[in-house]
């Protein structure tokens, strides 16, 4: 199954930081940004998370929840969140349930070696639970501002 713009995103429940579980259905009525990053505590992922952290008040004003997702275990996610002062939940997707749902596991090359890993991607889900926008193969600089503008425009329409 491939997610398509305008289609409902299947409900999911996942383990998150702060000893919590996050369910998409519980966030109905709010927009949700789900962003996938390759690995906690790496430079690009730290920068991207910091950008979301620094813009959280603006996302809140646009009625938008932020969820960061990687295949790291919950302890690594807790450490990453605490060290960087992230003010949103990080999800541990060790079994790749969400990665598969959003189709973000791709063949990647690093130092000439191929491996399967997370392609940096972001998804904006509207307040009714439908996929509104997607960004794949994300480059970090300027990305969060682009997602924020989309979230604000979507919120203004509702």
């Amino acid at each position: 199954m491939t997610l398509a713009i305008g289609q409902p995103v299947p409900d999911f429940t996942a383990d998150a930081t702060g000893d919590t579980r996050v369910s998409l259905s519980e966030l109905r009525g709010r927009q949700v940004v789900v962003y996938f990053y390759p690995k906690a505590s790496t430079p690009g992922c730290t920068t991207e998370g910091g950008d979301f952290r620094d813009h959280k008040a603006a996302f809140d004003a646009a009625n938008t929840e932020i969820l960061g997702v990687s295949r790291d275990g919950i302890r690594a996610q807790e450490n990453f969140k605490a060290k960087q002062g992230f003010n949103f939940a990080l999800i541990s997707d060790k079994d790749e349930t969400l990665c598969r749902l959003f189709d973000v596991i791709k063949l990647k090359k690093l130092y000439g070696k191929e491996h399967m890993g997370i392609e940096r991607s972001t998804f904006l889900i509207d307040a009714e639970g439908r996929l509104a926008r997607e960004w794949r193969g994300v480059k970090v600089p300027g990305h969060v501002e682009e997602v924020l503008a989309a979230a604000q425009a979507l919120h203004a329409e509702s």
Side-chain angles (χ1 to χ4, degrees):
M1 184 202 121
T2 309
L3 292 177
I5 301 295
Q7 295 300 307
V9 175
D11 190 26
F12 61 79
T13 301
D15 292 326
T17 48
D19 203 24
T20 60
R21 289 181 63 73
V22 174
S23 292
L24 184 60
S25 58
E26 291 174 3
L27 297 171
R28 193 72 27 92
R30 297 201 67 194
Q31 298 175 167
V32 181
V33 165
V34 182
Y35 82 94
F36 290 84
Y37 57 94
K39 189 152 182 54
S41 302
T42 56
C45 301
T46 299
T47 300
E48 184 179 27
D51 288 347
F52 276 111
R53 176 197 61 218
D54 297 345
H55 288 82
K56 179 147 186 328
F59 278 101
D60 287 345
N63 192 36
T64 305
E65 188 82 21
I66 301 166
L67 299 172
V69 184
S70 76
R71 298 184 300 180
D72 295 289
I74 202 72
R75 181 175 292 145
Q77 298 289 47
E78 292 285 7
N79 292 341
F80 188 35
K81 180 177 176 174
K83 186 173 180 190
Q84 301 303 327
F86 292 158
N87 45 12
F88 52 87
L90 298 180
I91 292 174
S92 170
D93 192 35
K94 280 180 89 75
D95 66 2
E96 298 181 1
T97 301
L98 291 182
C99 290
R100 283 194 301 275
L101 174 64
F102 287 90
D103 189 31
V104 297
I105 299 291
K106 304 291 181 190
L107 186 63
K108 299 172 76 175
K109 279 191 174 162
L110 185 65
Y111 307 120
K113 287 194 166 75
E114 291 186 340
H115 68 283
M116 298 304 284
I118 291 179
E119 176 185 53
R120 192 181 305 278
S121 305
T122 302
F123 301 87
L124 176 60
I125 301 168
D126 72 16
E128 280 78 55
R130 292 183 305 260
L131 184 62
R133 290 280 307 271
E134 65 178 18
W135 294 263
R136 295 180 179 273
V138 166
K139 302 288 182 255
V140 173
H143 175 63
V144 169
E145 291 80 359
E146 190 179 331
V147 175
L148 177 59
Q152 290 168 329
L154 187 61
H155 180 61
E157 290 169 16
S158 59

